[in-house]
Amino acid sequence: MEPADDPEHRRAQRFRVFKAGTIEFSGNAIPCTVRNLSASGAALEINSPLWFPDRFTLAIASDGSQRACHIVWRREKRIGVAFEQLPPA
């Protein structure tokens, strides 16, 4: 288990979900499945072997959300991402 995937090291509790998502960067969009989700990050399942950058926007159509994020771990077809902090209002 990766440290970032260990519940002891997470900043916020994650909840198991099964939502369609899209990894968006530079005009490209790669489909993914959001497997768990929290206020600070998510675990994504990728079926495509295509390369994508360490920083991208995760879009979840079912709730209309878009979050800038960066990869904190990779394992075969799964990646863990942390959401970028929103700038202070």
Side-chain angles (χ1 to χ4, degrees):
M1 184 176 300
E2 297 289 326
D5 194 33
D6 183 350
E8 298 293 319
H9 291 91
R10 292 186 183 144
R11 288 183 283 166
Q13 182 179 359
R14 290 196 178 180
F15 298 93
R16 289 181 186 262
V17 297
F18 190 81
K19 295 183 177 189
T22 306
I23 294 171
E24 300 177 350
F25 61 95
S26 304
N28 296 305
I30 297 173
C32 67
T33 302
V34 181
R35 301 304 302 238
N36 66 48
L37 187 62
S38 77
S40 62
L44 310 176
E45 189 170 298
I46 315 304
N47 291 327
S48 169
L50 296 175
W51 175 90
F52 51 90
D54 289 337
R55 293 184 182 278
F56 54 84
T57 299
L58 172 63
I60 303 173
S62 64
D63 57 21
S65 67
Q66 289 190 326
R67 296 288 305 266
C69 55
H70 64 273
I71 297 172
V72 292
W73 58 264
R74 293 181 190 247
R75 185 172 46 242
E76 296 183 21
K77 292 185 174 186
R78 283 210 175 190
I79 61 171
V81 298
F83 296 134
E84 302 289 331
Q85 296 295 324
L86 297 174

